[in-house]
Amino acid sequence: MNTLARAGDDRWRLPQHAYLVVYDERETELLTIYDCGAAQKPPSARILGNLVRVKADHELENTPTGYIVRMREKSVLEKQDEDHWRILAE
């Protein structure tokens, strides 16, 4: 499932208030992406892979099973290779 807007090859736009829940209790993380943390909507995407870098304004909250990334600016989710992802400011 991925309904994020494309921003090019292996790149997707994230809204300013995107909310990523990263489950890292396994070898490959599970990234669950929501358009907004306050919206009562299903996730926009679920991706297997490791989030290796966030180079955009954000807040980070550790949880017992991983962490939550709350974006504070529009950004782009970019696939680096088969198992690695990063987020860059747009």
Side-chain angles (χ1 to χ4, degrees):
M1 169 207 344
N2 184 350
T3 60
L4 296 171
R6 281 193 150 304
D9 290 340
D10 293 329
R11 294 169 52 98
W12 293 266
R13 285 187 171 68
L14 295 176
Q16 179 176 351
H17 298 289
Y19 183 90
L20 290 82
V21 177
V22 181
Y23 178 76
D24 70 356
E25 291 289 306
R26 48 195 287 175
E27 185 175 320
T28 302
E29 296 173 340
L30 172 63
L31 312 175
T32 304
I33 304 168
Y34 298 87
D35 287 341
C36 178
Q40 298 294 315
K41 296 181 1 179
S44 300
R46 286 199 177 112
I47 300 168
L48 284 176
N50 297 304
L51 183 60
V52 295
R53 184 170 293 120
V54 179
K55 287 193 163 191
D57 190 20
H58 69 285
E59 290 180 21
L60 191 65
E61 176 187 340
N62 289 313
T63 67
T65 58
Y67 56 97
I68 297 170
V69 181
R70 290 181 179 88
M71 301 309 301
R72 295 293 176 239
E73 69 177 312
K74 289 182 180 180
S75 51
V76 174
L77 176 68
E78 181 177 76
K79 186 174 186 176
Q80 287 187 294
D81 59 37
E82 193 61 35
D83 295 323
H84 297 95
W85 297 82
R86 66 182 178 177
I87 297 174
L88 307 169
E90 189 171 45

